[in-house]
Amino acid sequence: MHEHSNNPERKLIVRFFSSIGFIATLVMGCIALTNSDYFLFFTLICSSLIYAWALSVYKNLEKSASAILYNLYALMIYLVLTGGAQGTGPIWIFIVSPVTFSIRGLKRGIVDIVLFLLAVILAFYCAHTFSIYNYQPDQFPYRVIFSFIIVAMLSGFYENSREKYNQKILALSKKNELLATIDPLTGLPNRRFTMNKLSEFKLALTKEQTPFVLILCDVDNFKKVNDEYGHSFGDEALIHLANILKQHIPNNAVASRWGGEEFLIAIPNVFNAKGVEISNKIHAALKQFPVNTSSESLSLTISMGVVQSHESDSIDIDIKRADELLYKAKEQGKNRTCSE
């Protein structure tokens, strides 16, 4: 089955075709019984039972899909070989291409259809050679095969277009999903993404006692920076700070733009002391690497509040505690870290 279909779609396709196959073969089996064609009746009833089984195991997608297709192929070969009802059996093979491509996708579908076509050619040959069924006129098998190839090519072209369209939609969806969780200025995760991460960290703390630390940061005197150097320089300062944060936090940590000139860092598997150590490294890096543009240079400073999450507290309370420590750092002179 093609890789671009998600599981709900694939299950729907399999359930649809297995249901249609079950109903169609059951009805045709009953018709064959009324026509006293007992062998065809037995064949169609067996086929309907296989479709019913495929429907019952549709959650096992590959097994159900294979049952649908190979049952369909076997039934079509039988109809070609025997002529079906008054020689109309081969007409049914034209449903094979759309069903195959819908279930298998383009690449795997082409392989299955080529093998099926070879089997159809062999069935026509055997029907003629062993006098199983005499198709009239003699050109009938060739016309059926040629028509089947055209239908298969058209179905393949449609499936190719559909898969490309699905790929574009999937790529656009992923891009939109990414844009919805990324701050466009700094490239850091935004508040929405970070809240989801904090929920994961809190769950790990509750279930597995995995600690994590929060560091809430705020740029000192940022309004003054904007007023004196301009908003473009202020944007460059935030980007510079974001890069410093990314460079000095662990790989499993999350640094995010919390809002305006505020940033939130979440670090799993560490305790409060490690959070303070990381914040001191960030202070040192900002002192060592000022914000430089073609015309301006400024050593940016930030104030930080560091807290270790408590299992009994909500995420909002954790952040409130960090915020209180952040403002304590501001009151003590800024460019420093306060922790519990």
Side-chain angles (χ1 to χ4, degrees):
M1 300 184 72
H2 48 93
E3 59 187 356
H4 305 297
S5 293
N6 56 32
N7 281 343
E9 180 187 353
R10 294 172 70 186
K11 288 179 181 178
L12 181 61
I13 291 172
V14 167
R15 291 180 70 180
F16 175 76
F17 283 124
S18 55
S19 299
I20 293 298
F22 169 72
I23 294 171
T25 50
L26 182 62
V27 170
M28 289 187 292
C30 293
I31 294 173
L33 180 62
T34 60
N35 294 331
S36 301
D37 192 339
Y38 300 112
F39 189 77
L40 180 59
F41 163 74
F42 176 77
T43 302
L44 291 170
I45 291 301
C46 288
S47 181
S48 69
L49 292 176
I50 294 174
Y51 282 122
W53 177 81
L55 179 61
S56 69
V57 298
Y58 75 92
K59 291 183 179 180
N60 188 330
L61 295 174
E62 296 303 324
K63 183 183 291 186
S64 182
S66 296
I68 292 170
L69 287 177
Y70 297 141
N71 184 37
L72 176 65
Y73 297 161
L75 182 59
M76 295 300 105
I77 296 303
Y78 168 79
L79 292 175
V80 170
L81 190 64
T82 62
Q86 300 177 351
T88 60
I91 296 174
W92 290 98
I93 71 170
F94 293 106
I95 68 174
V96 166
S97 295
V99 172
T100 299
F101 283 126
S102 295
I103 291 180
R104 292 295 195 200
L106 183 63
K107 293 182 179 179
R108 193 170 172 185
I110 289 174
V111 175
D112 282 359
I113 287 175
V114 168
L115 294 176
F116 173 76
L117 179 60
L118 294 175
V120 168
I121 294 172
L122 179 62
F124 273 126
Y125 173 80
C126 291
H128 174 73
T129 303
F130 299 105
S131 300
I132 300 173
Y133 190 85
N134 183 28
Y135 286 103
Q136 295 295 331
D138 293 338
Q139 295 81 12
F140 178 78
Y142 302 104
R143 292 176 180 174
V144 169
I145 291 170
F146 184 68
S147 299
F148 176 82
I149 293 173
I150 294 175
V151 171
M153 291 175 64
L154 291 173
S155 298
F157 176 78
Y158 169 78
E159 181 63 21
N160 181 54
S161 301
R162 195 184 71 84
E163 286 190 2
K164 287 183 177 179
Y165 177 76
N166 282 350
Q167 289 173 1
K168 290 180 181 179
I169 294 297
L170 184 61
L172 183 61
S173 175
K174 288 182 177 179
K175 182 179 179 180
N176 289 337
E177 183 179 348
L178 180 64
L179 290 175
T181 59
I182 296 297
D183 172 57
L185 177 64
T186 63
L188 292 178
N190 60 17
R191 183 185 289 245
R192 173 185 174 186
F193 176 90
T194 307
M195 285 301 293
N196 290 333
K197 271 295 180 182
L198 292 179
S199 298
E200 293 177 15
F201 292 162
K202 181 67 79 170
L203 185 63
L205 173 62
T206 304
K207 289 189 173 182
E208 304 168 13
Q209 303 302 306
T210 304
F212 74 93
V213 166
L214 295 178
I215 305 176
L216 190 60
C217 319
D218 185 83
V219 180
D220 296 328
N221 306 312
F222 189 67
K223 183 178 183 303
K224 186 177 179 181
V225 171
N226 278 331
D227 291 342
E228 291 188 9
Y229 298 93
H231 289 280
S232 294
F233 184 86
D235 288 346
E236 289 297 326
L238 294 178
I239 295 170
H240 177 76
L241 174 58
N243 291 332
I244 292 291
L245 296 181
K246 285 187 286 188
Q247 292 168 11
H248 290 85
I249 63 173
N251 292 332
N252 62 345
V254 177
S256 63
R257 188 178 182 189
W258 198 241
E261 64 270 24
E262 272 195 340
F263 294 78
L264 181 69
I265 303 169
I267 311 172
N269 298 310
V270 299
F271 294 97
N272 205 61
K274 184 64 175 179
V276 173
E277 179 186 330
I278 290 171
S279 69
N280 289 333
K281 289 182 179 179
I282 294 170
H283 282 302
L286 288 171
K287 183 178 180 180
Q288 182 180 359
F289 301 103
V291 185
N292 291 314
T293 66
S294 57
S295 58
E296 305 289 350
S297 179
L298 175 69
S299 291
L300 204 64
T301 66
I302 62 174
S303 299
M304 291 185 265
V306 180
V307 299
Q308 183 172 326
S309 179
H310 294 166
E311 183 179 346
S312 59
D313 291 341
S314 67
I315 294 171
D316 290 337
I317 292 177
D318 289 337
I319 295 172
K320 182 180 178 182
R321 286 165 43 224
D323 188 56
E324 290 171 352
L325 289 168
L326 165 63
Y327 278 94
K328 182 179 178 181
K330 294 279 190 183
E331 292 172 354
Q332 292 180 359
K334 303 177 182 178
N335 191 25
R336 66 192 64 217
T337 296
C338 284
S339 64
E340 294 176 328

